[in-house]
Amino acid sequence: MKFKSIIGVDVSKSTLDAYLKINQCHAVFENNEKGYQELVEWVMENSGLILAEELLFGFESTGIYSSELALFLEKHSLPFYIISGLELKRSLGIRRGKSDKADSKDIAEYLYEKQEKIIPTVLPKKVIQDLKKLFNYRERLVKDRAAYITRIKEYEAVVSENKLKVYQKSNTEVIACLDKQIQTVEKEIDKLLRKDELLMNQYKLINSIKGIGPQTAVALIVLTEGFTLFDSWRKFASYAGTAPFPNQSGTSYRGRTKISPLANKRIKTLLTLCAGTAIQYSTEMKTYYKRRTGEGKSKMSTLNIIRNKLIARAFAVVNRNSSYVDILKYAA
């Protein structure tokens, strides 16, 4: 798709650095509603274009700092493309130095080169956006709780027994407070799911699979945007970092097939925990794991196969709209 004017935007907490490719000019705006309006007016004035469809804004995803800009552009039907930070970084090659102005220019140049292949970003429906925010917030709370639990163990190792109670009491109270906040967020997630019949149905279907728990089910819904972002489980497995890839060159080098380090580490960790649970509580998975490792196969590769089986089952139950059935228990 060809665009007549491309705008690279480097998003930070308080400012937006914009670079207009058509006449190579740069300007800085506030990262708020007023700044967004001024940005669009500046682009229209300097590009000489009238139709919004002829523009393309591009920026990296920076979480809460870029989400409001994306919502504003979508609201006003202005095409935009959210770029993967890693993809952009690797496309730049070797470079020295860094500045917001240079970054905005790099984004514009990247979009200009790739414009024929670019399809403007479409934001997921609001309930998915809200779920994502709550899910991410819950993750932060869980990390904070884990940090305080670790601190108690550290104090137990270095603080004398007569002074230890102060540290234990203080950290225990914070942990209890975080537990309460995590429960509150989980209730809000449940409320959101119940408001959307389709997502609630997907949530129930995924939870019918042995090994997959509530939080992984929510993660799958959020990351696949209600199973609309990936058209096959294999593509999602590649995104999650569980899909094996060949490792060879020419006729002389034949390396071991292995997974790529490029992955969404959050979902990969959750799937690893799910695979461990499945081995414990699913007769089929336990039997498969014991048989394969008993044959001398790697435990890690077997665990990875189980992770992929769980992903495949999640996509299968959603696509066919029926709960998972453990056929092994009906076997003669």
Side-chain angles (χ1 to χ4, degrees):
M1 189 172 182
K2 281 267 187 179
F3 298 93
K4 291 185 178 178
S5 187
I6 290 173
I7 308 95
V9 183
D10 183 72
V11 182
S12 62
K13 181 179 179 180
S14 55
T15 60
L16 304 173
D17 279 75
Y19 180 85
L20 186 58
K21 171 68 178 173
I22 197 169
N23 58 6
Q24 301 180 356
C25 59
H26 168 265
V28 181
F29 306 92
E30 293 180 3
N31 191 357
N32 54 34
E33 185 86 13
K34 181 186 175 184
Y36 306 152
Q37 292 173 353
E38 290 175 351
L39 168 64
V40 174
E41 289 171 4
W42 173 79
V43 169
M44 290 298 191
E45 183 181 335
N46 285 276
S47 65
L49 301 178
I50 300 173
L51 299 176
E53 297 79 24
E54 297 175 328
L55 304 170
L56 178 66
F57 292 83
F59 50 92
E60 291 181 63
S61 174
T62 53
I64 57 175
Y65 299 147
S66 62
S67 60
E68 292 303 313
L69 173 60
L71 289 169
F72 176 86
L73 294 172
E74 184 181 60
K75 180 182 176 181
H76 292 84
S77 302
L78 294 165
F80 64 95
Y81 181 70
I82 300 177
I83 308 166
S84 161
L86 180 62
E87 183 181 351
L88 178 64
K89 183 179 179 181
R90 294 203 167 188
S91 72
L92 297 175
I94 299 172
R95 59 179 297 188
R96 295 177 176 86
K98 186 184 187 305
S99 71
D100 293 341
K101 180 179 179 180
D103 289 345
S104 64
K105 182 180 179 181
D106 288 337
I107 292 170
E109 295 290 351
Y110 174 84
L111 293 175
Y112 182 76
E113 291 175 8
K114 303 285 185 181
Q115 60 179 307
E116 291 188 0
K117 296 181 179 179
I118 284 175
I119 299 173
T121 300
V122 177
L123 294 178
K125 57 185 181 179
K126 191 174 185 304
V127 65
I128 294 286
Q129 294 176 42
D130 292 340
L131 267 177
K132 185 176 182 179
K133 289 175 183 175
L134 284 171
F135 178 75
N136 289 340
Y137 181 54
R138 182 190 176 278
E139 274 203 331
R140 287 188 178 186
L141 292 174
V142 170
K143 285 180 181 178
D144 290 342
R145 181 179 62 182
Y148 279 98
I149 292 171
T150 302
R151 283 177 197 171
I152 290 179
K153 294 177 181 177
E154 289 173 349
Y155 287 129
E156 287 173 347
V158 298
V159 178
S160 59
E161 193 173 341
N162 61 327
K163 294 179 181 179
L164 184 60
K165 288 183 180 179
V166 176
Y167 298 99
Q168 285 179 328
K169 185 176 184 296
S170 175
N171 282 277
T172 302
E173 287 176 358
V174 174
I175 291 167
C177 180
L178 287 168
D179 282 335
K180 189 176 179 180
Q181 294 306 313
I182 290 169
Q183 289 174 6
T184 301
V185 173
E186 288 174 351
K187 286 178 183 177
E188 288 301 313
I189 289 173
D190 187 63
K191 283 181 186 177
L192 273 178
L193 287 169
R194 291 183 185 280
K195 285 180 182 177
D196 191 293
E197 187 178 343
L198 176 63
L199 295 185
M200 190 62 196
N201 183 51
Q202 290 180 352
Y203 177 77
K204 289 178 178 177
L205 292 172
I206 299 167
N207 268 303
S208 69
I209 303 167
K210 278 189 177 180
I212 298 183
Q215 296 312 314
T216 305
V218 173
L220 288 169
I221 290 170
V222 167
L223 295 174
T224 61
E225 295 181 5
F227 288 82
T228 61
L229 203 57
F230 300 88
D231 56 20
S232 74
W233 72 265
R234 289 179 177 83
K235 288 184 179 179
F236 183 77
S238 178
Y239 168 77
T242 62
F245 290 92
N247 182 28
Q248 61 186 49
S249 179
T251 57
S252 59
Y253 179 72
R254 290 288 185 275
R256 202 162 43 90
T257 298
K258 56 185 180 180
I259 58 177
S260 170
L262 298 178
N264 182 314
K265 300 297 174 61
R266 294 184 299 168
I267 190 62
K268 190 174 182 179
T269 300
L270 285 172
L271 288 168
T272 301
L273 295 172
C274 290
T277 303
I279 291 167
Q280 281 185 293
Y281 298 102
S282 169
T283 305
E284 179 190 356
M285 294 297 191
K286 184 188 290 186
T287 304
Y288 176 80
Y289 181 81
K290 287 183 176 179
R291 176 177 61 79
R292 198 169 188 276
T293 53
E295 293 171 354
K297 301 292 177 63
S298 163
K299 289 183 179 180
M300 196 59 232
S301 70
T302 306
L303 193 70
N304 190 62
I305 291 171
I306 293 172
R307 290 191 297 201
N308 284 321
K309 282 178 178 286
L310 293 175
I311 294 172
R313 288 177 182 183
F315 273 75
V317 295
V318 170
N319 289 335
R320 71 172 183 241
N321 194 29
S322 62
S323 298
Y324 177 75
V325 178
D326 185 4
I327 59 173
L328 193 64
K329 68 180 182 181
Y330 298 109

